[in-house]
Amino acid sequence: MMVKSYRPAGVGMVPAEAGTYLLSAYFDDNQVDLVKANVLGWQVSSERALTPLVVDPRAADVEPWFVAHPDGRVEASDGRCWDSLEQWVGEERRLRRNAA
């Protein structure tokens, strides 16, 4: 059985640079488990918004999503940006600690 997707259809695709990853961070005490999914391309919506194309179609459903670029920057779908993976992980850790 195929599950119907109600995500609006894109108007185009743009290839992603090699070394571009969709990131997820899972924290357990002081340890972080980092999950990376290869971004194969970018779906362009009719509103000119980009959504990363990855093998798992649900991976980019969680907002905000985070992308690691080949130059080391990490960018969020809500416009935030970090110069490195370490800076992003540090801020995510602080946000989760403050929320607890």
Side-chain angles (χ1 to χ4, degrees):
M1 183 175 107
M2 202 158 160
V3 176
K4 184 144 182 92
S5 171
Y6 293 98
R7 178 181 286 175
V11 296
M13 292 292 300
V14 177
E17 283 187 67
T20 303
Y21 299 98
L22 185 64
L23 300 173
S24 298
Y26 301 95
F27 293 89
D28 183 21
D29 291 325
N30 226 11
Q31 302 284 42
V32 61
D33 185 17
L34 198 59
V35 177
K36 293 180 173 182
N38 287 308
V39 177
L40 307 172
W42 297 94
Q43 180 175 334
V44 183
S45 73
S46 57
E47 294 86 32
R48 296 187 344 199
L50 297 177
T51 305
L53 174 66
V54 293
V55 173
D56 180 358
R58 297 172 313 246
D61 285 349
V62 177
E63 290 282 340
W65 40 261
F66 303 93
V67 171
H69 294 282
D71 65 4
R73 291 177 302 115
V74 175
E75 199 168 7
S77 59
D78 61 9
R80 292 176 294 153
C81 193
W82 298 265
D83 290 334
S84 70
L85 187 62
E86 292 76 24
Q87 285 181 349
W88 173 70
V89 168
E91 183 165 326
E92 285 294 297
R93 181 176 280 132
R94 279 190 298 277
L95 289 173
R96 290 166 199 262
R97 193 178 307 135
N98 292 342

